[in-house]
Amino acid sequence: MDGSAWLVGHLKGAFMSLAHMNSMHAGTDEAMEYCRAITQKRARNFYYGLRLSPEPARSALYTVYAWMRKADDLVDGDIAGTADASESELREKVARFREATDEALSGGAVDGDLLWVALGHVASRHSLRKEHFHAVLDGQLDDLTRREYATFAELKEYCRRVASAVGLLCVEIWGYKDDRALVLAEKRGIAFQLTNILRDFRQDWDMGRIYLPAEDFSRNKLTAADLHEWRKPHECELFLREQIERAEAFYQSSDELESLITPAYVPTLAAMTAIYHGLLKKMRGNPASLVEHRRIRLSTWQKAMIALRAKWSVVQAG
């Protein structure tokens, strides 16, 4: 081969390699935008905090949220379009999703979904532990087979799977300066999930699920049906205040978490916490609202102001 032929061949190979890299970059950009769009559409509370994170962590958090949202929908027949699927079919669906997750996290190619492109990209930049993703999927299997929780110990374990695991992934992306952050992230996740469970009592009831512990109903001489129909107002209010204070205790016991993560990400965590804690405070002000038809929520304006205050507090501190 003469020199000119070698040069032409070498340049051709370089251009093909560059074109491939540009194609991969374009695919990654599309995948990250896909996850951002899911987060904006579905994360009515989290999005206000997540968008405060600087890049590349912001896109990583959007990807984790998009993955969590897909995982959460796996066994929900109304959302996933699998209302008539058998338990074995849904278990197989979760198993396939678990395998695809592991493949993406390990850098393998998973076809057919932009989510896996985004997750593979994020995993190449951040150390994300597979066991946290597996825990969330184990929680989905709980939702597939369990309709009630006998004790708070059982419910707490469920909260660890579906919420604390996500919190631990966030802390891994943010970075932390003390291992205590992992313990506190677990508690904060439980606080968030207990808030969700209280807020969604009526919605979960309609789906045939009761997350509030049976032992607590029994101790207060109530049934879940009594609470749903508000048949014993005094007992129902005492029961709900007990549940609210339990969630509050997890917020209080994790209040050092913000001081242990990388400062740039404190506004994100502070905003998300203020929004969820704000929901709990609304419940405390009117426990009966938890069984009303209108779901408890903060307005868009309230959430935007919380995010703004969280960002401004860090600017002032700096």
Side-chain angles (χ1 to χ4, degrees):
M1 178 184 295
D2 61 28
S4 60
W6 176 87
L7 180 60
V8 170
H10 181 74
L11 289 174
K12 183 178 179 181
F15 281 126
M16 290 179 64
S17 178
L18 181 61
H20 178 66
M21 290 175 63
N22 287 337
S23 176
M24 289 179 61
H25 182 70
T28 299
D29 287 346
E30 182 184 4
M32 304 310 284
E33 172 57 24
Y34 167 80
C35 292
R36 187 207 61 77
I38 288 178
T39 307
Q40 184 177 21
K41 180 179 180 180
R42 307 272 314 263
R44 295 177 180 175
N45 292 318
F46 279 136
Y47 184 68
Y48 288 86
L50 296 183
R51 66 181 182 176
L52 295 177
S53 285
E55 291 288 10
R58 185 193 313 144
S59 290
L61 294 169
Y62 289 159
T63 299
V64 168
Y65 180 86
W67 180 92
M68 182 273 293
R69 189 76 277 149
K70 290 268 191 174
D72 194 47
D73 292 346
L74 286 173
V75 300
D76 191 324
D78 292 336
I79 295 174
T82 55
D84 297 325
S86 67
E87 180 181 327
S88 62
E89 289 172 330
L90 292 176
R91 284 185 174 277
E92 177 60 26
K93 188 177 181 182
V94 173
R96 290 196 303 269
F97 193 83
R98 192 189 302 264
E99 290 173 2
T101 299
D102 287 350
E103 187 70 16
L105 289 173
S106 63
V110 181
D111 295 328
D113 199 320
L114 290 172
L115 175 63
W116 305 126
V117 177
L119 186 60
H121 175 71
V122 171
S124 72
R125 306 185 72 164
H126 301 275
S127 178
L128 302 180
R129 301 180 189 178
K130 289 182 180 180
E131 56 261 36
H132 297 327
F133 292 91
H134 286 206
V136 174
L137 294 175
D138 290 341
Q140 300 314 305
L141 293 178
D142 284 344
D143 279 340
L144 181 60
T145 58
R146 298 191 65 160
R147 296 293 171 179
E148 298 183 16
Y149 287 82
T151 68
F152 177 64
E154 293 176 356
L155 178 60
K156 186 177 177 182
E157 180 58 29
Y158 171 77
C159 292
R160 283 198 181 102
R161 289 176 174 174
V162 299
S164 294
V166 178
L168 289 167
L169 286 168
C170 290
V171 167
E172 288 178 352
I173 291 170
W174 292 330
Y176 53 92
K177 59 185 179 182
D178 189 310
D179 284 348
R180 285 189 302 133
L182 302 177
V183 176
L184 298 184
E186 182 177 284
K187 291 182 178 181
R188 188 68 59 85
I190 293 172
F192 284 3
Q193 189 62 26
L194 290 177
T195 302
N196 274 336
I197 286 169
L198 282 164
R199 180 195 60 185
D200 295 342
F201 171 75
R202 176 175 282 278
Q203 178 182 331
D204 291 332
W205 170 278
D206 292 341
M207 296 175 65
R209 294 174 182 154
I210 303 169
Y211 290 98
L212 298 173
E215 65 179 3
D216 294 348
F217 282 113
S218 179
R219 186 174 61 256
N220 286 277
K221 297 181 172 56
L222 284 173
T223 66
D226 289 332
L227 180 61
H228 183 262
E229 301 301 324
W230 204 251
R231 283 198 284 249
K232 301 177 181 179
H234 179 68
E235 289 84 352
C236 286
E237 181 167 338
L238 288 178
F239 170 85
L240 285 178
R241 290 197 180 280
E242 176 184 296
Q243 303 299 316
I244 289 167
E245 291 311 312
R246 173 183 282 157
E248 177 65 29
F250 280 96
Y251 283 106
Q252 297 301 325
S253 64
S254 63
D255 64 1
E256 289 185 73
L257 179 57
E258 280 80 357
S259 69
L260 300 179
I261 66 170
T262 304
Y265 305 113
V266 169
T268 295
L269 177 58
M272 291 192 300
T273 300
I275 289 170
Y276 268 80
H277 205 181
L279 291 171
L280 191 70
K281 290 174 181 176
K282 288 192 73 169
M283 297 175 200
R284 179 186 283 149
N286 182 17
S289 63
L290 292 171
V291 298
E292 295 174 355
H293 289 285
R294 189 169 62 179
R295 197 182 194 203
I296 289 177
R297 64 180 73 243
L298 300 183
S299 69
T300 300
W301 180 85
Q302 287 174 310
K303 289 184 283 192
M305 289 304 297
I306 286 172
L308 183 62
R309 284 195 295 270
K311 185 70 173 177
W312 181 245
S313 66
V314 173
V315 171
Q316 287 185 313

